């Protein structure tokens, strides 16, 4: 969605009044045009019918999974199906997250969340939502999510120490700075200004008694702002008045440390709250890890069910053709070669699948080699001989001689084959595919050109769709796996289309500086 955030109307569905207000405040802080609020998913449809809604933020809780029921209802209406659907939930169990992602949500935000996390996830929902993983291709090879690892290490936590006593500030800095990113402020006013910048602290150690503005007043202001209300605050004070402690907790403080500060007590208390903050951060990172695992499963399913299946179909059809041509020696020899190539291709695909799995688990790295790119292009043409004949497609070759690239040959062979299969899918029956291989200054251009024009939307989503996705009874060819195979080799892929030039599918391979 390439729309100015200031023009967005957002519908917030959250049963808890306080949290619904917080989400609305965060959205207004982001600058959205209007926020509609409702407690129940049941009333969401009436809002959609009577208002212009550009984004939906909806709760999803264990007792009520009606958020996904609403999503399904929205997806069936063409006028609403395009609306990004963001889930906020306290559930971090893998199965719950997986179910929501596969249902087609745009983003998943784990409660409780900071303004920064909420802002990041909302921007992702608009610009780079969860895509290309629903519905997953069915396969007997089930990839478990139990092995998902949380990205580690986390970013170093930021702590702001606010105290008008320079000695206290320095003592705390010396204790905490070996472990955390520690900043200092000698007044509440300066601290509030710091909290309004991009460098928002994760934790504040806040003195109660200070001139101009005391710690209580500062905490009140922090709690009133969507951008800062998530910050954990530990009070520091030499006062023995229990009423001050109680008031601090009522305003939202998470702990209280008496001065003079005992080093061990300070470290233990800070570490306890740091662990809680890290747990919140890890919960949202876990969602990303689960999503990437699901995407990997889609890619493996793509290779297993489509590319392997294509080669098996080729071998099967060739065997049938050989049986029918048993008395024609030349044709039998040609078909025998196709079968031989097809079986070799099956072996290579298995190697690629194993290689992708190893790369995901960081067990191996891509090992580039120098080879001639035209060889791979000709191999793809040969492998798809049967499909070319079925579609009555002509191949026009425009090759520069002796063009060498630096890439992983087996992975690149699969990549070129997928690109060529997409070209066959796009090319109208009875037309031609022009294949160009030429050398630039730093890259080799491999281009498949078809006369058929495709939409701008297709140019964008083709790289997010599995190789063979069936939607509304139609089969659509995709380039999801091709994108993955290209990315691990730093190969750039482009898909362009216009009325004058038709459609161009381009791969930019690294140029080999020598042929050794």
């Amino acid at each position: 969605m390439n729309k100015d955030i200031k023009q967005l109307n957002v519908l917030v569905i959250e049963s808890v009044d306080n949290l619904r207000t917080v989400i609305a405040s965060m959205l207004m802080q982001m600058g959205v045009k209007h926020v509609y609020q409702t407690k129940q998913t049941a009333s969401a449809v009436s809002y959609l019918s009577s208002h212009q809604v550009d984004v939906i933020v909806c709760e999803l809780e264990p007792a009520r999974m009606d958020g996904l029921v609403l999503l399904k209802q929205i997806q069936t209406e063409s006028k609403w199906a395009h609306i990004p659907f963001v889930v906020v939930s306290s559930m971090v169990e893998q199965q719950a997250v997986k179910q929501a992602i596969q249902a087609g949500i745009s983003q998943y935000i784990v409660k409780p969340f900071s303004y920064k996390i909420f802002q990041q996830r909302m921007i992702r929902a608009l610009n780079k939502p969860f895509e290309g993983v629903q519905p997953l291709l069915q396969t007997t090879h089930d990839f478990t999510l139990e092995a998902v690892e949380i990205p580690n290490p986390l970013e170093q936590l930021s702590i702001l120490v606010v105290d008008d006593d320079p000695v206290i500030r320095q003592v705390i800095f010396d204790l905490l700075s070996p472990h955390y990113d520690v900043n200092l402020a000698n007044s509440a006013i300066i601290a509030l200004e710091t909290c309004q910048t991009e460098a928002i602290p994760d934790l504040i150690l806040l003195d109660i008694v200070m001139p101009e503005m005391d710690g209580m007043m500062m905490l009140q202001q922090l709690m009133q702002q969507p951008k800062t209300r998530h910050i954990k605050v530990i009070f520091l004070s030499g006062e023995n008045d229990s009423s001050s402690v109680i008031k601090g907790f009522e305003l939202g403080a998470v702990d209280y440390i008496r001065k003079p500060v005992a080093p061990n007590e300070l470290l233990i208390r800070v570490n306890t709250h740091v662990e809680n903050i890290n747990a919140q951060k890890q919960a949202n990172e876990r969602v990303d890890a689960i999503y990437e695992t699901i995407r990997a499963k889609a890619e493996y399913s793509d290779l297993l069910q489509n590319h392997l299946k294509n080669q098996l179909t080729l071998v099967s059809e060739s065997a049938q053709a050989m049986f029918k041509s048993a008395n024609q020696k030349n044709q039998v020899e040609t078909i025998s070669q196709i079968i031989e190539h097809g079986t070799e291709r099956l072996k290579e695909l298995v190697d690629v699948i194993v290689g992708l799995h190893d790369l995901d688990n960081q067990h191996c790295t891509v090992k580039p080699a120098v080879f001639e790119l035209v060889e791979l292009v000709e191999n793809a043409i040969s492998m798809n001989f049967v499909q070319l004949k079925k579609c009555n497609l002509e191949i026009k070759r425009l090759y520069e001689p002796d063009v060498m690239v630096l890439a992983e040959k087996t992975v690149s062979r699969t990549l070129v084959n997928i690109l060529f299969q997409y070209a066959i899918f796009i090319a109208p029956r009875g037309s031609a595919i022009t294949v160009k291989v030429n050398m630039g200054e730093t890259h080799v251009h491999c281009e498949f050109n078809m006369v058929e024009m495709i939409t701008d939307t297709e140019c964008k989503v083709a790289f997010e769709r599995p190789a063979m996705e069936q939607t509304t009874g139609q089969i659509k060819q995709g380039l999801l796996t091709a994108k993955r195979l290209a990315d691990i080799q730093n190969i750039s892929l482009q898909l362009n289309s216009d009325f004058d030039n038709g459609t161009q599918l381009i791969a930019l391979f690294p140029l080999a500086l020598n042929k050794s």
Side-chain angles (χ1 to χ4, degrees), residues 13 40 58 64 98 172 180 192 231 238 242 288-289 294 303 382 408 416 437 444 451 456 469 477 495:
I13 308 164
Q40 300 176 334
C58 182
R64 303 180 315 280
K98 177 182 175 183
I172 295 176
Y180 310 105
L192 285 172
I231 301 173
S242 61
D288 290 339
I294 295 173
L303 280 168
S382 174
E408 218 291 330
V416 172
V437 177
V444 173
V451 296
D456 291 340
E469 180 183 83
Q477 189 83 358
L495 182 59

Side-chain angles (χ1 to χ4, degrees), residues 96 144 192 216 230 276 310 330 334 336 352 359 428 432 444:
T144 179
L192 285 172
M216 297 293 183
H230 72 281
N276 292 334
N310 286 344
N330 291 339
T334 301
S336 298
V352 169
L359 282 168
V444 173

Side-chain angles (χ1 to χ4, degrees), residues 394-427:
E394 178 188 356
I395 300 298
K396 296 182 179 179
R397 297 169 170 85
L398 297 175
Y399 300 155
E400 278 189 25
D402 302 323
V403 176
M404 310 299 286
V405 298
L406 180 64
E408 218 291 330
K409 190 170 183 179
T410 300
V411 175
S412 297
R413 191 189 306 275
T414 300
L415 169 61
V416 172
N417 192 53
I418 296 173
L419 298 179
F420 188 65
Q421 288 176 356
Y422 185 83
I424 294 174
F425 170 73
I426 294 297

Side-chain angles (χ1 to χ4, degrees), residues 292-353:
E292 288 305 320
T293 300
I294 295 173
R295 280 186 67 91
K297 178 178 176 180
E299 290 167 359
Y300 294 136
S301 298
D302 176 16
L303 280 168
L304 289 169
Q305 292 201 42
N306 296 308
H307 302 295
L308 282 174
K309 185 178 178 181
N310 286 344
Q311 293 305 314
L312 288 169
T313 301
L314 171 65
V315 172
S316 175
E317 291 179 348
S318 299
Q320 293 174 27
M322 180 182 288
F323 178 76
K324 293 177 182 178
S325 308
N327 297 323
Q328 301 177 37
K329 184 179 179 180
N330 291 339
Q331 197 160 351
V332 168
E333 289 178 353
T334 301
I335 295 172
S336 298
Q337 290 177 353
I338 293 173
I339 292 175
E340 183 181 356
H341 290 160
T343 52
E344 289 299 318
R345 185 82 189 98
L346 286 170
K347 294 177 184 177
E348 289 177 356
L349 283 170
V350 171
D351 290 339
V352 169
I353 292 170

Side-chain angles (χ1 to χ4, degrees), residues 128-176:
K128 195 176 180 182
F130 293 149
E131 289 183 3
V133 295
Q134 71 279 349
L136 282 177
L137 297 171
Q138 296 301 313
T139 175
T140 55
H141 298 264
D142 189 22
F143 291 81
T144 179
L145 296 178
E146 294 301 322
V148 171
E149 295 183 2
I150 305 304
N152 199 23
L154 292 167
E155 293 179 9
Q156 190 177 31
L157 236 69
S158 172
I159 297 177
L160 177 62
V161 180
V162 188
D163 199 306
D164 60 324
D165 187 332
V167 175
I168 295 293
R169 290 199 307 272
Q170 190 60 47
V171 168
I172 295 176
F173 179 85
D174 292 341
L175 286 170
L176 297 180

Side-chain angles (χ1 to χ4, degrees), residues 25 27 38 50 54 92 99 103 105 131-132 144 158 163 182 251 260 305 338 343 349 354 385 393 406 435 451 454:
S25 299
L27 288 166
T38 181
S50 58
D54 302 299
V92 294
Q99 182 182 355
I105 64 168
E131 289 183 3
T144 179
S158 172
D163 199 306
V182 181
L251 289 174
Q305 292 201 42
I338 293 173
T343 52
L349 283 170
V354 173
F385 169 79
L393 293 173
L406 180 64
V435 186
V451 296
I454 60 176

Side-chain angles (χ1 to χ4, degrees), residues 57-337:
V57 179
C58 182
E59 70 171 344
L60 185 66
E61 296 304 331
R64 303 180 315 280
M65 295 295 285
D66 46 356
L68 297 187
V69 175
L70 172 64
L71 174 59
K72 187 174 182 180
Q73 184 177 357
I74 290 171
Q75 290 170 337
T76 60
E77 295 285 344
S78 58
K79 59 183 176 181
W80 300 332
H82 67 282
I83 299 176
F85 195 95
V86 179
V87 160
V88 291
S89 178
S90 59
M91 296 187 293
V92 294
E93 294 80 10
Q94 292 170 352
Q95 189 57 40
V97 176
K98 177 182 175 183
Q99 182 182 355
I101 292 174
Q102 291 178 338
I105 64 168
S106 303
Q107 274 296 326
Y108 192 106
I109 308 175
V110 180
K111 304 175 187 176
F113 46 81
S114 66
Y115 172 79
K116 183 177 180 181
I117 288 175
F118 182 80
Q119 182 186 45
Q120 288 174 344
R121 300 274 161 172
M122 288 299 296
I123 291 173
R124 283 194 207 174
L126 299 175
N127 299 324
K128 195 176 180 182
F130 293 149
E131 289 183 3
V133 295
Q134 71 279 349
L136 282 177
L137 297 171
Q138 296 301 313
T139 175
T140 55
H141 298 264
D142 189 22
F143 291 81
T144 179
L145 296 178
E146 294 301 322
V148 171
E149 295 183 2
I150 305 304
N152 199 23
L154 292 167
E155 293 179 9
Q156 190 177 31
L157 236 69
S158 172
I159 297 177
L160 177 62
V161 180
V162 188
D163 199 306
D164 60 324
D165 187 332
V167 175
I168 295 293
R169 290 199 307 272
Q170 190 60 47
V171 168
I172 295 176
F173 179 85
D174 292 341
L175 286 170
L176 297 180
S177 59
H179 313 287
Y180 310 105
D181 178 16
V182 181
N183 294 295
L184 306 176
N186 61 10
S187 73
I189 294 174
I190 292 175
L192 285 172
E193 290 174 354
T194 300
C195 291
Q196 292 303 318
T197 67
E198 291 300 315
I200 302 175
D202 298 292
L203 178 67
I204 296 177
L205 301 183
L206 177 60
D207 186 19
I208 290 181
V209 181
M210 290 184 292
E212 297 185 67
M213 179 186 292
D214 64 20
M216 297 293 183
M217 292 177 62
M218 177 180 167
L219 180 56
Q220 282 181 313
Q221 292 201 26
L222 289 174
M223 293 299 107
Q224 290 171 0
Q225 297 295 323
K227 193 174 182 179
T228 56
R229 65 179 296 127
H230 72 281
I231 301 173
K232 308 300 180 186
V233 176
I234 298 176
F235 269 133
L236 303 170
S237 181
E239 292 188 347
N240 293 317
D241 183 7
S242 61
S243 63
S244 296
V245 177
I246 294 171
K247 183 180 179 182
F249 283 123
E250 288 176 344
L251 289 174
V254 296
D255 210 341
Y256 180 91
I257 299 176
R258 296 190 184 280
K259 295 191 292 185
V261 174
N264 286 342
E265 179 187 2
L266 175 71
L267 290 171
I268 291 171
R269 287 178 180 265
V270 167
N271 184 64
T272 297
H273 295 290
V274 163
E275 288 180 354
N276 292 334
I277 294 168
N278 276 339
Q280 292 176 14
K281 290 186 175 184
Q282 284 180 323
N284 281 290
E285 290 173 349
R286 187 172 184 80
V287 171
D288 290 339
I290 292 172
Y291 172 61
E292 288 305 320
T293 300
I294 295 173
R295 280 186 67 91
K297 178 178 176 180
E299 290 167 359
Y300 294 136
S301 298
D302 176 16
L303 280 168
L304 289 169
Q305 292 201 42
N306 296 308
H307 302 295
L308 282 174
K309 185 178 178 181
N310 286 344
Q311 293 305 314
L312 288 169
T313 301
L314 171 65
V315 172
S316 175
E317 291 179 348
S318 299
Q320 293 174 27
M322 180 182 288
F323 178 76
K324 293 177 182 178
S325 308
N327 297 323
Q328 301 177 37
K329 184 179 179 180
N330 291 339
Q331 197 160 351
V332 168
E333 289 178 353
T334 301
I335 295 172
S336 298
Q337 290 177 353

